[in-house]
Amino acid sequence: MAELLNDAEVTAALAGLPEWRREGDAIVRTVKLPTFPDAIALVDRVAQAAEARNHHPDIDIRWRTLTFVCSTHAMGGITELDVHLAQEIDRLAAT
Ligand SMILES: C[C@H](O)[C@H](O)[C@H]1CNC2=NC(N)=NC(=O)C2=N1
């Protein structure tokens, strides 16, 4: 299992993830899509990617606005798995 990142490591990771912010034991990004179906389509793409890597974000869906919350539940905090998932979500959100 991936090790917890310390504060400096989280800060360094977020420097490469400008759309993301730290909220306690998680990193968080909000994405606004043009339509509700567009938002659900992105959720589906993220779900496929999360399943493939067996690491899943918490997802809040409010009309066209999605909030992704990445934390490693088994470790109770932020690990490289969350950073890599955030990078993947950014790629999928850009398509
Ligand atoms: C058994 C399975 O590998 C674990 O439950 C996985 C599934 N997806 C997960 N996703 C996240 N975000 N954190 C976890 O600790 C986690 N654990």
Side-chain angles (χ1 to χ4, degrees):
M1 173 58 71
E3 295 301 313
L4 287 175
L5 300 180
N6 63 38
D7 289 347
E9 291 167 328
V10 173
T11 299
L14 289 173
L17 292 165
E19 302 291 334
W20 293 76
R21 64 193 184 274
R22 180 172 190 166
E23 289 188 3
D25 290 335
I27 55 174
V28 181
R29 179 184 176 180
T30 297
V31 186
K32 187 168 182 178
L33 284 303
T35 68
F36 185 64
D38 288 331
I40 298 305
L42 177 55
V43 168
D44 182 61
R45 293 198 299 276
V46 171
Q48 302 299 326
E51 195 69 4
R53 64 186 54 229
N54 192 34
H55 197 69
H56 307 82
D58 300 335
I59 306 173
D60 181 273
I61 304 170
R62 296 173 192 239
W63 187 19
R64 304 177 297 171
T65 300
L66 302 176
T67 300
F68 296 101
V69 181
C70 298
S71 182
T72 302
H73 305 305
M75 296 298 292
I78 303 164
T79 71
E80 278 296 334
L81 297 173
D82 302 304
V83 174
H84 295 154
L85 180 57
Q87 292 166 343
E88 179 73 14
I89 289 170
D90 281 355
R91 281 192 289 275
L92 293 169
T95 55

